[in-house]
């Protein structure tokens, strides 16, 4: 019988060999405090920690697990692929299958490349945009996250139109100096920037619905303006749909907004929980990539056959008729239940959702910018997070993250979540 470990003892042990005890910072519970849960297994809507405690999971591995954990069809596809070896480093038919499947779902994807993470996909898309346009400047928005490539770990410069400064140690100032950071949903700022620097901009990189500063909707008029200005000035519009792709709708946010970006970044759902992401878009741009063109990009495990098998299996599931209608209805039911429960206890709380992605806010109305998210009641969120954890509900351990519902979250699971929230809100109201 192997020794049984508590979350606390595993966390203490993990910190001796892994920085912060985690392989990705947000998992360390730093913003909410307390001890991360060391997950041993998961099934459907549930995760189980090392102490055997079951939680209803709304992190979903930060988005990929849209069909629920350990979906039999995904697991079986992975098992079957693994028996044929885990990697070849050579082209395979399934890479064509998944490329064609993704192209069918997103008309903007005339061609695409598979890589191993959203970071790698966004980084590659940036290099491609710079190589295609011959320009160095890129634009991102405050509160959006596109992975940890140097050019993207940048915070806003001192003035509106000044180039950015590193937001992480180790990022050279002269790398950050090519990145401009503007406010999300701010039309006047983007118009002023293009008026002054339009000819220098290689691309505008944006999360169409932001999921890394909680859940913040991109305003449709703002998105239309970004599209117009990029077209007018010869810059590429790059939509980072790593989180929203096949999550907010089968065709991602593009399907909802009717906007056609020049390049798209994908990840999470398309890999079924395995390390797989993609970037793609206009054929004339994509054909600048090696071996056809001068922009180099490569990867030992790009298009890995086991990851592709998981992605194909999950795409088959989400393409079934009614999948997103049911997922959206479930998510909306949860949002309404949470808001009604909070109102019963007189708390300032609201929620918003699209497809299977949601945001909850201890604020009077949903935020439209990073500054508004930052104005939310962090103390209340922290107390709510732990009150829900104690009641068997696992939310994202940060007020700056979105939440995710899967097709495995059936009405009973949603009702149990709402009942847990009622108890948690009662606790907050009694403080
Ligand atoms: P990865 O390199 O983590 O696969 O993808 C980076 C990325 C790119 N673009 C968007 C819109 C993303 O949301 C992400 C990663 N999302 C975070 C969740 N906020 C991953 C969780 C983590 O960092 O541990």
């Amino acid at each position: 019988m192997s020794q049984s470990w508590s979350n606390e003892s595993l966390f203490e042990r993990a910190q001796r060999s892994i920085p912060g005890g985690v392989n990705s910072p947000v998992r360390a519970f730093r913003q909410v405090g307390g001890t991360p849960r060391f997950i041993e297994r998961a099934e459907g809507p549930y995760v189980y920690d090392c102490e055997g405690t079951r939680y209803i999971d709304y992190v979903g591995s930060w988005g990929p697990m849209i069909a629920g954990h350990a979906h039999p069809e995904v697991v079986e596809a992975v098992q079957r692929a693994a028996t044929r070896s885990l990697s070849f480093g050579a082209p395979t038919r399934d890479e064509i299958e998944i490329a064609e499947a993704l192209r069918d779902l997103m008309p903007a994807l005339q061609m695409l490349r598979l890589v191993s993470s959203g970071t790698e996909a966004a980084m590659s898309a940036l290099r491609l945009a710079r190589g295609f346009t011959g320009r160095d400047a890129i634009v991102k928005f405050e509160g959006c996250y596109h992975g940890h490539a140097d050019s993207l770990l940048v915070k806003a410069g001192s003035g509106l139109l000044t180039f950015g400064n590193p937001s992480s140690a180790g990022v050279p100032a002269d790398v950050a100096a090519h990145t401009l950071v503007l406010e999300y949903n701010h039309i006047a700022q983007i118009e002023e920037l293009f008026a002054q620097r339009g000819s220098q901009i290689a691309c505008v990189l944006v999360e169409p619905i932001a999921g890394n500063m909680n859940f913040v909707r991109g305003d449709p008029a703002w998105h239309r303006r970004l599209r117009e200005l990029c077209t007018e000035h010869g810059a590429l519009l790059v939509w980072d749909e790593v989180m929203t792709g096949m999550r907010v709708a089968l065709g991602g946010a593009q399907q909802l907004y009717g906007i056609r970006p020049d390049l798209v970044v994908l990840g999470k759902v398309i890999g079924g929980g395995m390390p797989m992401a993609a970037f793609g878009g206009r054929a004339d741009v994509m054909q600048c990539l090696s071996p056809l063109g001068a922009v180099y990009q490569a990867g030992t495990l790009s298009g890995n056959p086991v990851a592709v098998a998981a992605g194909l299996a999950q795409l088959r599931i989400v393409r079934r008729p009614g999948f997103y209608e049911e997922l959206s209805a479930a998510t909306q039911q949860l949002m309404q239940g949470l808001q009604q429960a909070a109102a019963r206890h007189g708390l300032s709380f609201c929620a918003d959702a699209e497809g299977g992605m949601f945001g909850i806010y201890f604020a009077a109305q949903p935020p439209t910018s990073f500054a508004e998210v930052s104005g939310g009641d962090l103390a209340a969120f922290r107390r709510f997070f732990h009150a829900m954890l104690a009641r068997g509900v696992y939310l994202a351990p940060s007020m700056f993250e979105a939440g995710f519902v899967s097709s495995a979250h059936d009405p009973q699971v949603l009702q149990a979540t709402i009942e847990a929230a009622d108890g948690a809100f009662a606790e907050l109201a009694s403080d």
Side-chain angles (χ1 to χ4, degrees):
M1 178 73 172
S2 65
Q3 176 187 352
S4 67
W5 291 86
S6 68
N7 289 302
E8 285 73 16
S9 61
L10 280 181
F11 192 38
E12 191 275 327
R13 181 180 158 200
Q15 292 176 80
R16 294 203 292 268
S17 54
I18 306 168
V22 293
N23 281 307
S24 200
V26 70
R27 304 175 187 175
F29 275 30
R30 283 294 177 100
Q31 198 191 67
V32 293
T35 302
R37 296 309 190 258
F38 280 70
I39 303 304
E40 296 265 302
R41 66 183 183 93
E43 189 174 359
Y46 302 113
V47 294
Y48 299 79
D49 73 10
C50 59
E51 297 172 11
T53 306
R54 187 187 79 173
Y55 302 90
I56 300 172
D57 178 25
Y58 288 102
V59 176
S61 183
W62 304 99
M65 310 316 287
I66 197 167
H69 288 286
H71 190 293
E73 292 173 48
V74 177
V75 172
E76 200 272 328
V78 166
Q79 289 170 330
R80 196 169 57 241
T83 59
R84 298 193 293 267
S85 181
L86 298 178
S87 183
F88 314 125
T92 64
R93 190 186 64 195
D94 276 356
E95 288 167 91
I96 306 168
E97 296 286 349
I98 200 165
E100 292 173 348
L102 292 171
R103 280 187 11 171
D104 288 348
L105 296 178
M106 284 186 173
L109 292 175
Q110 293 177 342
M111 302 195 85
L112 62 98
R113 269 258 165 96
L114 300 178
V115 292
S116 299
S117 73
T119 291
E120 190 181 358
M123 176 183 75
S124 305
L126 281 192
R127 183 180 313 125
L128 178 58
R130 285 170 161 159
F132 177 77
T133 60
R135 303 173 182 178
D136 291 340
I138 61 170
V139 180
K140 75 176 290 288
F141 299 93
E142 190 179 35
C144 289
Y145 176 68
H146 307 285
H148 60 91
D150 280 358
S151 290
L152 296 169
L153 293 180
V154 176
K155 58 181 183 284
S158 54
L160 168 66
L161 299 183
T162 55
F163 282 101
N165 303 309
S167 62
S168 163
V171 174
D174 57 10
V175 170
H178 296 291
T179 304
L180 287 148
V181 183
L182 301 186
E183 284 177 48
Y184 197 76
N185 276 329
H186 200 307
I187 289 181
Q189 282 189 5
I190 196 72
E191 288 181 330
E192 187 178 349
L193 172 68
F194 269 95
Q196 291 197 20
R197 290 205 168 99
S199 61
Q200 299 169 14
I201 297 169
C203 69
V204 172
L205 176 61
V206 64
E207 288 183 63
I209 297 175
N212 288 283
M213 51 168 152
N214 207 311
F215 176 100
V216 179
R217 291 180 183 279
D219 176 81
W222 178 64
H223 277 309
R224 282 195 300 275
R225 203 70 190 101
L226 292 181
R227 176 64 281 172
E228 288 163 2
L229 289 166
C230 284
T231 303
E232 187 183 328
H233 293 270
L236 297 185
L237 179 62
V238 186
W239 272 26
D240 180 344
E241 292 225 48
V242 165
M243 195 179 278
T244 54
M246 294 82 191
R247 168 58 68 175
V248 297
L250 182 56
Q254 293 158 65
Q255 176 184 322
L256 303 176
Y257 284 90
I259 296 267
R260 185 165 184 157
D262 299 301
L263 291 176
V264 182
V265 182
L266 294 172
K268 296 182 191 280
V269 168
I270 70 165
M274 293 289 282
M276 189 170 80
F279 67 103
R282 281 168 40 189
D284 63 325
V285 178
M286 292 300 287
Q287 287 170 355
C288 293
L289 284 170
S290 176
L292 300 179
V295 179
Y296 194 70
Q297 179 271 330
T300 301
L301 298 177
S302 294
N304 173 270
V306 181
V308 169
L312 280 170
Q314 182 142 283
L315 288 175
R316 281 191 290 272
I317 294 164
V318 302
R319 295 182 73 161
R320 286 177 185 147
F323 182 90
Y324 287 92
E325 289 77 6
E326 289 168 30
L327 182 67
S328 299
T331 309
Q332 290 302 329
Q333 178 194 336
L334 178 64
M335 297 301 104
Q336 282 152 23
L338 294 179
Q339 291 178 109
Q340 288 161 0
R344 279 197 298 275
H345 296 286
L347 296 170
S348 175
F349 175 91
C350 62
D352 194 6
E354 193 64 56
M357 180 175 164
F358 68 85
I360 57 174
Y361 324 95
F362 284 89
Q365 58 192 5
T368 62
S369 70
F370 181 70
E372 288 178 17
V373 174
S374 303
D377 187 340
L378 177 56
F381 173 79
R382 278 199 187 112
R383 290 199 304 275
F384 183 68
F385 172 85
H386 283 288
M388 291 292 268
L389 198 64
R391 290 170 172 79
V393 178
Y394 188 69
L395 298 171
S398 167
M399 187 173 81
F400 294 90
E401 295 288 353
F404 304 98
V405 176
S406 83
S407 55
H409 287 71
D410 64 27
Q412 291 70 34
V413 167
L414 300 171
Q415 187 52 38
T417 306
I418 293 164
E419 285 165 11
D422 195 61
F425 287 134
E427 211 175 288
L428 267 64
S430 66
D431 281 357

